[in-house]
Amino acid sequence: MLVLVAPGQGAQTPGFLTPWLDLPGVEDRLREWSAAIDLDLIHYGTQADADAIRDTAVAQPLLVASALISSRQLFATPEEFTAHVGAAAGHSVGELAAAALAGTLTDASAMTLVRHRGQAMAEAAAVTETGMAALLGGEESVVVPHLEKLGLTPANVNGAGQIVAAGTAEQIAALVADKPEGTRRVVPLKVAGAFHTHHMAPAVAALESAVGELTATDPHTRYVSNRDGRIVTTGDELVRRLVGQVANPVRWDLCMETFKELGVTALIEAAPGGTLVGLAKRALPGVKTLALKTPDDLDAARTLIAEHSSPVADPSAEEGARA
């Protein structure tokens, strides 16, 4: 059973879109999306430096665009996607790309929504000096209470021994000085704010307004939600979760548990892949993994698809399930 996943913020690197522009139709599609959302995706994906693409309002549309561009090289139509992919998911902003690939959003509406999301989260982050830090190692039962004692939120529970904390700059500094027992390292992340916490409440309100006229259809493929690892089968519920998730923790650990319960045998991470494959290698032993970093990885991905395809005839039969 094949799972396709889309990465979240922080996966972008300077110039990462450059090799994809050599593929037929990619530059035209990126120019079309750039005009629609008033953001030069080609410039930021090929020429901008690390500081420029770290900007939340820039990074999020770039990541969704790259996930869609790379995935569409493998599955050109919804029928192809459904015929080969057993489940789709995305980490944080990657959820919007997964929602488009699973058929709830169009590519164009996903790009419009992610533009609103990135701008709203950037504005919310500017209100208070906040940040995030990755904790490497340590038991969740020890780490989470320690974070709560410091007033921090476990914003990303990624599994495989990784939790990302979020809060004010002072709270992050206190965590660095006083890490939980068993944690090897605390690594402050170069992000603009405390994403997936109450600090993002203003962004939720902005997104609720943005999705008011959005047309959402039911997904044609299992969609696994960040909120709780559950399979969501209606378009309206999926969109509600996309909005609320901005201010709630990402439970990628539960998503991977669902993949396991579904019988995953292979996992492909859309461009710019790598982070989620790394987590899968530790949490899903025996599962074949592949990260789409450049077009050079497409042939290997096609081979993996041919070997591990497992379509789902009726995702609605599993509504609300973790398995």
Side-chain angles (χ1 to χ4, degrees), residues 14-323:
F16 76 99
L17 275 183
T18 300
W20 296 97
L21 293 179
D22 293 332
L23 300 180
V26 168
E27 183 172 351
D28 290 342
R29 180 60 58 85
L30 289 172
R31 290 194 185 283
E32 177 185 331
W33 290 341
S34 295
I37 66 174
D38 192 26
L39 183 73
D40 191 341
L41 296 166
I42 293 177
H43 165 73
Y44 284 109
T46 63
Q47 300 176 26
D49 62 18
D51 286 338
I53 63 174
R54 189 178 297 123
D55 180 347
T56 301
V58 171
Q60 293 194 12
L62 265 184
L63 287 164
V64 171
S66 63
L68 292 175
I69 286 293
S70 57
S71 298
R72 296 302 184 197
Q73 304 305 311
L74 300 173
F75 313 102
T77 67
E79 292 76 17
E80 287 184 23
F81 196 89
T82 305
H84 297 291
V85 178
H91 190 287
S92 188
V93 71
E95 285 208 293
L96 276 74
L101 293 168
T104 289
L105 305 177
T106 65
D107 289 2
S109 64
M111 291 305 303
T112 299
L113 185 56
V114 75
R115 179 61 162 150
H116 285 300
R117 186 184 194 270
Q119 290 174 321
M121 291 177 73
E123 291 170 6
V127 174
T128 304
E129 187 179 359
T130 57
M132 304 179 80
L135 293 90
L136 306 180
E139 295 293 330
E140 183 178 338
S141 59
V142 174
V143 170
V144 171
H146 188 88
L147 297 180
E148 292 172 346
K149 180 186 72 174
L150 297 176
L152 289 156
T153 299
N156 298 167
V157 183
N158 287 331
Q162 185 188 100
I163 293 177
V164 176
T168 66
E170 292 80 7
Q171 290 166 339
I172 295 292
L175 175 64
V176 172
D178 179 22
K179 65 179 184 291
E181 182 181 353
T183 298
R184 297 190 305 276
R185 294 175 61 199
V186 175
V187 183
L189 303 180
K190 295 179 179 179
V191 295
F195 305 139
H196 300 291
T197 72
H198 67 278
H199 294 285
M200 292 293 111
V204 173
L207 281 180
E208 286 175 342
S209 176
V211 301
E213 299 181 1
L214 188 68
T215 299
T217 57
D218 296 343
H220 52 61
T221 302
R222 289 186 185 107
Y223 180 94
V224 181
S225 170
N226 278 185
R227 189 171 85 182
D228 49 18
R230 292 187 178 276
I231 296 166
V232 181
T233 59
T234 68
D236 289 344
E237 173 64 13
L238 201 161
V239 170
R240 281 194 293 270
R241 284 172 173 250
L242 289 177
V243 171
Q245 194 56 33
V246 169
N248 287 283
V250 171
R251 293 302 306 266
W252 193 250
D253 60 332
L254 298 182
C255 290
M256 290 195 293
E257 282 296 319
T258 296
F259 301 160
K260 185 187 300 184
E261 291 164 5
L262 290 171
V264 61
T265 58
L267 179 145
I268 294 175
E269 182 179 358
T275 301
L276 302 182
V277 159
L279 292 171
K281 285 180 176 178
R282 296 193 292 276
L284 300 171
V287 173
K288 299 289 185 182
T289 59
L290 188 144
L292 286 176
K293 296 179 181 296
T294 74
D296 290 341
D297 299 311
L298 289 170
D299 283 345
R302 293 185 181 106
T303 298
L304 203 65
I305 291 166
E307 294 173 347
H308 294 270
S309 294
S310 178
V312 179
D314 183 14
S316 65
E318 297 169 284
E319 183 170 4
R322 283 269 316 280

